Amino acid sequence: MVEKLTSQSVDYPRWYQEVVQRADLAENAPVRGAMIIKPYGYGLWEQMQSVLDRMFKETGHQNAYFPLLIPESFLKKEAEHVEGFSPELAVVTHAGGKRLEEPYVIRPTSETIIWDTFRNWIQSYRDLPLLINQWANVVRWEMRPRLFLRTTEFLWQEGHTAHASEEEAHEETIRMLGVYATFAEEYMAMPVIQGMKTDREKFAGAVKTYSIEAMMGDGKALQAGTSHDLGQNFARAFDVKYQTSEGKEEYVWATSWGVSTRLVGALVMAHGDDQGLVLPPRLAPIQTVIVPIYKGSEQRSTVIEACSVMEKALQAAGARTHLDDREQFRPGFKFNEWELKGVPVRIEVGPRDLERGEVVLAFRHSGDKKSLPIEAVATEVMNVLEEAQRGLFEKALAAREANTHSIDSFDEFKERIDGGGFFLCHWDGTTETEELIQQQTKATIRNLPLDAPDDPGRCMVTGNPSPHRVIISKAY
RNA sequence: CGGGGCGUAGCUCAGUUUGGCAGAGUGCCUGCUUUGGGAGCAGGAAGUCGGAGGUUCGAAUCCUCUCGCCCCGACCA
């Protein structure tokens, strides 16, 4: 008898912790705050990487790689940048048995070393735009680590681009935010809100920071990706100039943007339920799992044979398929295990089905089961998976809409914020009010939605004018 | 850094008060029976009791020091 997961309604954080470990996504490492990503969890990340990498290349970016270690002096060249990151830096002071003359910082992000390099790569307007991405690990020393959501070392991609004009850099910032939103919605089946961060929440060294914000199963927000308009801040700090077609010398305009293994945590919390993970078909390492059912060895060989044929047909049809032919577990155990691991479609094949020439399909996101003729499985499987993908997105969207509220009274806000969800409120645009809201409620302004309709009103705290509503929520 | 708690088998933990053979459940291995929603029986392997020092005939247990982890705060996103 295996213990059930802690229910989400009993203790959501504990549910998260348990599901990540029991579904074999990751475990804690001997180093505090570090995580070991297990093959199933890494498989999920690989699916994400391969889709994102294709999207980056389709938008003209090339991959490159910059070093893990950055001279400490580089960090200090951009004032806001060093101020923002210094509390969470890990620094190498010794190497080769000696104290280093200049310590190396383990990158918390790579703007500084990249801009130091871009200075040499960029001379003329003909070198622009320069569109680079790198897949890398970074280290940020965290006080409160949680698997995938906040770890001291994590995997990510960071895009770094240089442009000849402010407008072009801004377009790039918004374009990549859009790429992230498309990825979140079409692949993760996770609806997101694109918007601008407040000055207080923006990236250290950016002119503007934009984010996509998603709602988790408990109604809290998770920042799932960021895109920064860096203006000329890094170009000035690292003296990166180019010659225009008129022969004038100008500083370049920059962007950077990133998503990390935090997306795995987002996926877990966006769709998971009391049975475990629920993975979207487009990213699931295993899309369909075949579970054979039989009595005795004679029946076993017949059933397994039929399953093997089906496995090959499904793989030929393009579905990532696994045949669970382990003998030491009974079907009921396997059903529960693959549900814990979030496999979108389970195919049950037993003697009764084979007599009728059918198999049973069970859908993870809805719990529905239906029978299908054996011959139809391979031809239908991709349609069935796409249907499940859509169903999962619709479910997540409906959940977000049910937990999004427009509120105009600060008293009402304070009463309802503990129940979770997104609150669309008027805010006067000042940092003072933003801090007051956080101090009194622990909630933060997530972002200022890009598609917010003109809706003039009055700040729910101060009564000062506000052009449109912002999203306020408790967040991870 | 402040307050609290915990380190014993892969995992969860009992045993520590009152010193006296190293334990349970689960997982793992072997065999048999099972197999349409988390199987049953039998047998077996598995531990530097976080580490160091001390007290004692004898320490998981008492004393001193030390390392690590978890929770709440502070910090951060």
Side-chain angles (χ1 to χ4, degrees):
Chain A
M1 189 61 182
V2 184
E3 264 183 72
K4 285 196 167 176
L5 282 172
T6 296
S7 168
Q8 291 183 330
S9 59
V10 171
D11 187 343
Y12 197 87
R14 189 167 157 198
W15 167 86
Y16 176 81
Q17 185 88 359
E18 285 181 11
V19 76
V20 165
Q21 297 192 30
R22 298 249 312 256
D24 280 331
L25 296 181
E27 59 191 44
N28 285 305
V31 176
R32 178 186 159 77
M35 102 182 131
I36 292 162
I37 306 176
K38 298 179 77 172
Y40 194 60
Y42 199 79
L44 205 43
W45 177 239
E46 283 179 315
Q47 294 294 332
M48 292 178 174
Q49 277 187 299
S50 93
V51 173
L52 286 166
D53 198 65
R54 195 192 71 226
M55 294 173 95
F56 298 154
K57 284 168 182 162
E58 283 169 0
T59 42
H61 303 84
Q62 290 182 294
N63 286 330
Y65 186 78
F66 294 81
L68 171 73
L69 300 176
I70 300 176
E72 195 177 41
S73 57
F74 282 28
L75 267 291
K76 295 179 176 161
K77 290 191 181 182
E78 213 289 333
E80 273 188 34
H81 193 66
V82 65
E83 193 190 328
F85 279 105
S86 58
E88 41 190 338
L89 294 180
V91 184
V92 177
T93 57
H94 290 73
K98 288 180 188 162
R99 186 173 186 91
L100 293 166
E101 280 193 28
E102 180 183 356
Y104 293 129
V105 168
I106 301 176
R107 62 181 164 219
T109 179
S110 301
E111 272 78 4
T112 58
I113 195 152
I114 283 177
W115 282 92
D116 182 73
T117 306
F118 278 9
R119 180 178 56 245
N120 299 322
W121 290 5
I122 298 167
Q123 274 124 40
S124 138
Y125 72 95
R126 296 181 204 277
D127 297 323
L128 299 174
L130 180 57
L131 306 173
I132 297 295
N133 177 64
Q134 90 164 339
W135 291 95
N137 57 340
V138 290
V139 167
R140 296 179 185 176
W141 217 253
E142 296 288 354
M143 302 298 280
R144 279 281 168 83
R146 288 183 80 186
L147 291 171
F148 290 112
L149 299 177
R150 190 181 296 111
T151 49
T152 56
E153 180 184 1
F154 56 92
L155 306 181
W156 78 343
Q157 60 66 218
E158 45 182 324
H160 296 273
T161 69
H163 305 266
S165 73
E166 186 172 16
E167 297 71 38
E168 208 184 296
H170 186 256
E171 277 168 28
E172 168 78 0
T173 308
I174 299 300
R175 176 184 308 118
M176 298 320 289
L177 186 73
V179 164
Y180 290 155
T182 300
F183 174 76
E185 300 197 334
E186 294 186 4
Y187 290 85
M188 296 175 69
M190 181 176 77
V192 293
I193 294 172
Q194 302 182 52
M196 187 172 74
K197 286 298 214 186
T198 63
D199 281 350
R200 193 163 154 273
E201 299 263 337
K202 74 174 201 241
F203 176 75
V207 172
K208 294 287 182 199
T209 286
Y210 297 83
S211 72
I212 54 172
E213 302 282 334
M215 187 185 289
M216 302 293 99
D218 61 351
K220 282 181 161 183
L222 183 83
Q223 178 175 298
T226 49
S227 187
H228 313 291
D229 185 338
L230 302 175
Q232 292 179 313
N233 291 349
F234 284 90
R236 289 178 195 277
F238 287 87
D239 195 32
V240 185
K241 295 176 189 162
Y242 73 101
Q243 224 172 14
T244 67
S245 55
E246 294 90 36
K248 285 195 293 186
E249 202 170 55
E250 303 276 4
Y251 286 113
V252 303
W253 301 82
T255 81
S256 70
W257 27 274
V259 294
S260 71
T261 38
R262 175 179 248 205
L263 287 180
V264 175
L267 200 54
V268 172
M269 289 200 293
H271 303 307
D273 61 23
D274 282 352
Q275 272 61 252
L277 297 182
V278 180
L279 299 180
R282 289 188 177 182
L283 294 177
I286 298 172
Q287 295 172 307
T288 61
V289 63
I290 305 171
V291 178
I293 298 157
Y294 49 80
K295 291 180 180 166
S297 62
E298 195 176 321
Q299 238 180 35
R300 174 179 151 81
S301 56
T302 318
V303 171
I304 293 285
E305 173 61 22
C307 288
S308 305
V309 171
M310 191 184 311
E311 183 192 18
K312 288 188 181 70
L314 285 169
Q315 285 168 345
R320 295 186 288 274
T321 301
H322 175 69
L323 167 56
D324 186 357
D325 59 359
R326 293 174 298 175
E327 287 187 62
Q328 71 270 37
F329 299 113
R330 309 204 313 182
F333 178 90
K334 295 179 182 178
F335 293 173
N336 283 287
E337 184 174 76
W338 292 114
E339 279 169 10
L340 175 64
K341 291 190 152 198
V343 173
V345 175
R346 176 178 71 240
I347 304 177
E348 307 173 9
V349 183
R352 291 211 299 268
D353 305 304
L354 292 180
E355 273 173 35
R356 289 196 296 266
E358 292 183 338
V359 295
V360 173
L361 269 54
F363 296 89
R364 181 64 181 88
H365 75 287
S366 62
D368 295 343
K369 284 191 182 191
K370 72 173 184 186
S371 290
L372 211 62
I374 291 179
E375 322 73 80
V377 174
T379 52
E380 283 296 308
V381 67
M382 295 318 277
N383 292 334
V384 159
L385 288 169
E386 279 303 298
E387 203 179 298
Q389 179 82 28
R390 273 197 304 280
L392 190 56
F393 179 79
E394 295 301 331
K395 192 177 168 184
L397 186 59
R400 189 185 75 184
E401 283 174 353
N403 290 295
T404 300
H405 319 285
S406 268
I407 284 194
D408 294 313
S409 145
F410 193 36
D411 286 335
E412 187 185 353
F413 177 82
K414 285 192 273 196
E415 276 169 33
R416 298 182 64 180
I417 186 66
D418 284 334
F422 287 0
F423 293 82
L424 300 172
C425 307
H426 282 293
W427 165 59
D428 63 14
T430 68
T431 302
E432 292 74 40
T433 303
E434 187 180 6
E435 284 174 349
L436 185 147
I437 292 170
Q438 181 171 3
Q439 277 162 16
Q440 295 199 7
T441 66
K442 304 274 185 205
T444 47
I445 298 175
R446 300 318 305 157
N447 68 22
L448 288 52
L450 294 186
D451 62 358
D454 272 347
D455 175 21
R458 301 209 160 266
C459 173
M460 69 170 177
V461 178
T462 62
N464 291 330
S466 149
H468 46 66
R469 292 172 186 272
V470 302
I471 304 172
I472 309 182
S473 173
K474 293 199 176 183
Y476 281 97

